[in-house]
Amino acid sequence: MDSNIIVAMISLLGTLGGSLGGILVSSKLTAYRLKQLEQRVAEHNNFARRMPVIEEQIKVINHRIEDLEQEEKHHEN
């Protein structure tokens, strides 16, 4: 075989190997970042589900404080 053909074949193999390696690394990085994003979305969703419960508890607490303040005013008079 001609040495030019051998060099061309080796260059082709190197180019293909480098391209495939880059694609695999990029794919792994994308998968990792998607996983991180999914975890953040799950945390946000959990927080969003809990907020109405917390808001309702705050309303109850505020009403109880108002009741206690009213009772205190009645006892002072």
Side-chain angles (χ1 to χ4, degrees):
M1 253 196 211
D2 188 16
S3 65
N4 289 335
I5 295 175
I6 293 172
V7 168
M9 298 278 273
I10 291 172
S11 296
L12 176 65
L13 290 175
T15 301
L16 288 175
S19 295
L20 290 176
I23 291 170
L24 289 175
V25 168
S26 176
S27 175
K28 286 181 182 181
L29 179 60
T30 300
Y32 171 77
R33 293 189 67 175
L34 278 173
K35 184 177 179 181
Q36 295 300 312
L37 182 59
E38 288 171 351
Q39 289 175 349
R40 288 183 180 181
V41 168
E43 289 174 11
H44 173 74
N45 288 344
N46 186 34
F47 177 76
R49 275 192 298 271
R50 289 184 1 226
M51 276 311 294
V53 173
I54 292 170
E55 289 172 349
E56 187 60 34
Q57 289 175 344
I58 290 171
K59 285 180 186 177
V60 170
I61 290 168
N62 284 333
H63 285 299
R64 183 65 182 138
I65 290 171
E66 289 174 9
D67 291 345
L68 291 171
E69 288 173 344
Q70 291 296 328
E71 287 179 22
E72 183 180 355
K73 284 181 183 178
H74 289 298
H75 284 74
E76 288 178 357
N77 293 332

